[in-house]
Amino acid sequence: MIQAIGLTSMPRRNGPPAVDDLTFEVRPGQVTGLLGAPGAGKSTTLRLMLELEAGRGVTLFNGTPLHGVRHPSREVGILLGDVPGHPGRTARNHLRMLTAALGVPAERADEVLDVVGLTGLADQRLSTYSLGMDRRLGLGAALLAEPRTLFLDEPSFGLTPREAAWVHALLRAYAADGGAVLVTGRDAKAMARTSDRVVTIDGGRLVADQSAEEFTRTRLRPHVAVHSPHAQRLAGVLTDGGAEIAAATGSRLVIYGTTSAHIGEIAYRNGILLHRLADEVADLGPVAPLSRADGRGPAASPPDRAAAPPADPAAAPPGEPAEPVRIPAPSRGAVAPATPAQPLRYELRRLGGIRTPWWIAALSLLASVAGALVLSRTGEASALSMMSGWVRQLPLPPAAMGAGLLGALAYGQEFRYPALAPAQVPVPRRLRLLVAKMLVSGAAALLIAVVAAVLDTVVLRTILGPGEVPLPTDRPTQAAGWAALAVGCAWAGLLAAGLFRTTALGVTAVLAVPLVVAPAVGLAVRSRAGSHLIEAAGALLSVLGGWPGGVGSTAAGVTGRAVQPVGCAFVLSLTVLLCAHLATVLRGRGR
């Protein structure tokens, strides 16, 4: 049982709230329809219930708010709009990425693809999907964790009658299996056909909470639609017989109080040609909400209107099958408990599921080799520059810039294609996601740095000769500094993109370190206070150099590079970005 109690959104500027004191229930084994015109507050209601929007009131899932549910993804599956997946990702990769976030086996993705009828299209990229295919994939994502409840925001809007009938059949099958379904819509006739209970809202306030039978009887009125070249003549004959002609425009008539069989007989007896004769249902529209004594909202459901002949809820509009094929609901199974490895698996599947990271890595390595070839002609480059292909005209080595771009994409794509945003799953808890992203991006940066160093060394030793270029292992201090630079770029891009919610600003933050922060640090170092810092760093280096073996000299070399302007700039930037990122996490948790 789901109970929405007193839901009220934050007031809009110079206007009333989009949702005002809304209370209703969603029962298991039923499809509950939330009906309203565009702008009535349907989507806002769902977001308030899912705690995705600030407001007043509470929604209880079996007596517990959603933030108190241990596994929210097991409680509710969500489809709000189209699937926010990366267009370069395949449907199978998209769902497998989400299985890691939800803590379900990867095989569940193939089961869900079969349920929604996308098995044959599982390896196509999302950019090639039609609206109907995209909506099926969204339903599959909502069903991944086999939740007890489905929240769907106008899932059939914009679909063909055939696709809409399929969606309605799936919802009916899911409810028949014991699940609770809350679906929003704007078509009263479709809502009457597919729902067991209809909650009507207007202007964010409750208008009526009725069973489908009562809703049909009070709001929908059957009529006969007639198209004839002799419409006016037929109207005169029917009016004499007591029928009610509601509309007569050109060759079309809308007639109440009779049946299509009766009209057909009259037309036949009078020799009137008919082009179309069909039973239809008219939507009388919502009534005005009843005001309470304080004038704030509806006091109760409005009384029934004048009784009208009941319309058949199962009657389908032209072109829609009356009995669509029913899709079996997935079997109910247990969801694995959340483990710390889930964000790591999610991040690995997110990184490897599209081609963009591979292209970035390949182009970075090619640019690094090109830089090494340029340095081979100058002959005045340092060992670090030769190892990394760092041409003086570039603010950073090509491989480090590629690592920074990969780090920025790690969070930038989360905000551009928010596959996790509407889902209440363990992964979006940002501290765990941040750690996973830092581990994966750091490992990717190290891999790119190692491969770039090996390729550049091979190229330079081939051109200049083995004795002219030292191997990376011959310069452990510079090799460690090169690896730290690549990881620092990746983490700077990652933290900045997570903080500013865009890839572009993440890359800008990476480039700002050598172009803006490092010169500022250099000025500070040359100041009086900087001289004391240099003295302290020298003392630290002397202590580290006394360690036994080669560990002390390597540690001293790495520390010495860290206190240089570029090293200090990266340390300072990473510290500031990490603190700002953690502050946003803690503030979000407080809210």
Side-chain angles (χ1 to χ4, degrees), residues 7-311:
L7 296 181
T8 304
S9 62
M10 300 300 291
R12 295 173 290 187
R13 180 180 299 179
N14 299 325
V19 176
D20 184 12
D21 199 16
L22 188 59
T23 300
F24 62 94
E25 294 180 349
V26 180
R27 298 181 176 89
Q30 292 185 356
V31 177
T32 301
L34 187 61
L35 177 65
K42 304 185 298 296
S43 299
T44 304
T45 299
L46 292 187
R47 296 184 65 83
L48 287 172
M49 297 178 72
L50 296 169
E51 301 178 357
L52 299 176
E53 185 168 322
R56 299 192 301 273
V58 65
T59 301
L60 301 178
F61 293 78
N62 295 319
T64 305
L66 190 58
H67 64 265
V69 178
R70 184 177 181 183
H71 298 300
S73 58
R74 182 69 175 90
E75 186 65 44
V76 57
I78 307 166
L79 176 58
L80 305 178
D82 297 332
V83 176
H86 192 286
R89 200 181 303 277
T90 65
R92 179 177 281 113
N93 285 338
H94 179 76
L95 292 182
R96 285 184 175 177
M97 179 185 71
L98 294 181
T99 59
L102 297 170
V104 299
E107 295 75 15
R108 176 65 180 158
D110 294 321
E111 296 177 7
V112 166
L113 287 170
D114 182 61
V115 169
V116 298
L118 292 178
T119 301
L121 305 172
D123 294 322
Q124 287 192 17
R125 302 192 181 278
L126 300 187
S127 59
T128 65
Y129 271 31
S130 65
L131 179 61
M133 295 159 62
D134 182 86
R135 208 64 57 83
R136 286 177 181 245
L137 181 61
L139 287 170
L143 293 170
L144 269 178
E146 303 181 69
R148 300 181 180 90
T149 308
L150 288 180
F151 278 19
L152 311 173
D153 191 10
E154 299 197 70
S156 59
F157 179 71
L159 300 183
T160 64
R162 182 181 181 86
E163 286 286 353
W166 180 90
V167 171
H168 297 159
L170 177 62
L171 301 185
R172 297 300 308 174
Y174 186 86
D177 195 41
V181 179
L182 176 61
V183 56
T184 69
R186 61 183 69 181
D187 187 349
K189 291 178 284 187
M191 195 66 75
R193 291 194 305 272
T194 59
S195 302
D196 299 294
R197 192 160 193 87
V198 181
V199 177
T200 306
I201 62 175
D202 187 27
R205 296 186 295 169
L206 181 67
V207 172
D209 186 350
Q210 306 164 295
S211 65
E213 293 79 8
E214 183 184 3
F215 173 80
T216 300
R217 178 171 56 84
T218 58
R219 176 159 176 172
L220 301 181
R221 186 181 180 189
H223 65 268
V224 180
V226 179
H227 285 189
S228 171
H230 309 292
Q232 300 304 320
R233 179 184 168 195
L234 178 61
V237 175
L238 293 174
T239 302
D240 294 340
E244 177 186 352
I245 309 297
T249 57
S251 62
R252 185 176 184 273
L253 298 176
V254 175
I255 308 166
Y256 293 100
T258 185
T259 63
S260 57
H262 179 65
I263 294 175
E265 293 176 358
I266 292 178
Y268 177 76
R269 288 199 302 266
N270 290 271
I272 299 176
L273 176 64
L274 300 181
H275 288 168
R276 181 173 181 265
L277 182 64
D279 292 313
E280 295 182 353
V281 177
D283 181 7
L284 301 180
V287 297
L290 299 181
S291 298
R292 299 186 304 212
D294 56 7
R296 288 181 51 236
S301 296
D304 293 349
R305 294 181 178 147

Side-chain angles (χ1 to χ4, degrees), residues 214-556:
E214 183 184 3
F215 173 80
T216 300
R217 178 171 56 84
T218 58
R219 176 159 176 172
L220 301 181
R221 186 181 180 189
H223 65 268
V224 180
V226 179
H227 285 189
S228 171
H230 309 292
Q232 300 304 320
R233 179 184 168 195
L234 178 61
V237 175
L238 293 174
T239 302
D240 294 340
E244 177 186 352
I245 309 297
T249 57
S251 62
R252 185 176 184 273
L253 298 176
V254 175
I255 308 166
Y256 293 100
T258 185
T259 63
S260 57
H262 179 65
I263 294 175
E265 293 176 358
I266 292 178
Y268 177 76
R269 288 199 302 266
N270 290 271
I272 299 176
L273 176 64
L274 300 181
H275 288 168
R276 181 173 181 265
L277 182 64
D279 292 313
E280 295 182 353
V281 177
D283 181 7
L284 301 180
V287 297
L290 299 181
S291 298
R292 299 186 304 212
D294 56 7
R296 288 181 51 236
S301 296
D304 293 349
R305 294 181 178 147
D312 182 9
E320 180 178 330
E323 292 293 337
V325 178
R326 300 181 69 84
I327 307 297
S331 59
R332 297 293 171 86
V335 177
T339 64
Q342 289 174 12
L344 190 60
R345 290 200 301 267
Y346 165 82
E347 182 60 20
L348 288 172
R349 290 172 181 170
R350 185 206 62 79
L351 179 67
I354 55 177
R355 297 175 180 174
T356 303
W358 303 101
W359 281 110
I360 292 174
L363 292 176
S364 300
L365 295 176
L366 289 176
S368 183
V369 172
L373 292 175
V374 172
L375 292 173
S376 67
R377 295 183 177 274
T378 62
E380 299 179 354
S382 65
L384 177 60
S385 299
M386 291 189 294
M387 184 190 308
S388 60
W390 190 354
V391 182
R392 291 182 177 180
Q393 289 75 14
L394 296 177
L396 289 169
M401 294 176 64
L405 180 55
L406 286 179
L409 285 174
Y411 260 124
Q413 289 182 348
E414 295 284 5
F415 294 108
R416 186 174 182 183
Y417 308 107
L420 297 178
Q424 299 287 336
V425 294
V427 166
R429 294 172 184 172
R430 295 183 180 179
L431 286 179
R432 300 176 60 198
L433 183 59
L434 174 63
V435 172
K437 287 185 178 295
M438 293 185 71
L439 290 175
V440 174
S441 63
L446 280 177
L447 181 61
I448 293 176
V450 170
V451 175
V454 171
L455 287 178
D456 294 347
T457 302
V458 170
V459 170
L460 292 176
R461 288 172 72 90
T462 302
I463 296 176
L464 302 178
E468 300 295 330
V469 181
L471 293 173
T473 54
D474 298 335
R475 301 288 183 93
T477 299
Q478 294 183 348
W482 163 228
L485 177 63
V487 174
C489 288
W491 286 356
L494 171 71
L495 294 172
L499 183 63
F500 299 114
R501 297 172 174 258
T502 175
T503 302
L505 290 180
V507 176
T508 301
V510 175
L511 296 176
V513 174
L515 296 178
V516 178
V517 183
V521 171
L523 292 175
V525 169
R526 288 191 293 270
S527 65
R528 180 178 298 179
S531 61
H532 297 293
L533 177 63
I534 293 176
E535 292 177 1
L540 176 62
L541 293 178
S542 63
V543 173
L544 293 176
W547 288 2
V551 176
S553 59
T554 302

